[in-house]
Amino acid sequence: MSGPEPALDWPALMRAGLRDLGLAPDVFWTLTPAELWLMLGADTGVLPMGRRRLDELSAAYPDGGREGDDDGRD
């Protein structure tokens, strides 16, 4: 069972929009998050794996657990 989606990081989005893209505040606030995402070039490739997917993979493929496994770590 998954938890709620994380909230948007508004300070980071504001820095990206106002400082990096040079948008005026009124222009920034009229954009949807999807429009801002597009302007930041986030649609140019595959997004990195999120925490939720990492947790799913960790649950499906836990580390260790097999007798005789020696991965070289202490």
Side-chain angles (χ1 to χ4, degrees):
M1 184 176 269
S2 300
E5 285 291 321
L8 292 175
D9 184 354
W10 285 109
L13 290 175
M14 290 175 66
R15 277 191 302 278
L18 301 175
R19 184 188 64 201
D20 298 342
L21 294 176
L23 300 173
D26 62 323
V27 173
F28 172 83
W29 289 111
T30 60
L31 294 172
T32 66
E35 291 169 329
L36 181 58
W37 195 252
L38 181 66
M39 292 175 75
L40 291 170
D43 68 330
T44 59
V46 176
L47 295 176
M49 182 184 320
R51 183 67 197 191
R52 180 183 298 166
R53 182 65 180 138
L54 177 61
D55 290 342
E56 290 170 354
L57 288 171
S58 294
Y61 304 100
D63 290 336
R66 289 192 292 173
E67 193 172 316
D69 261 358
D70 184 11
D71 61 3
R73 292 184 282 179
D74 292 324

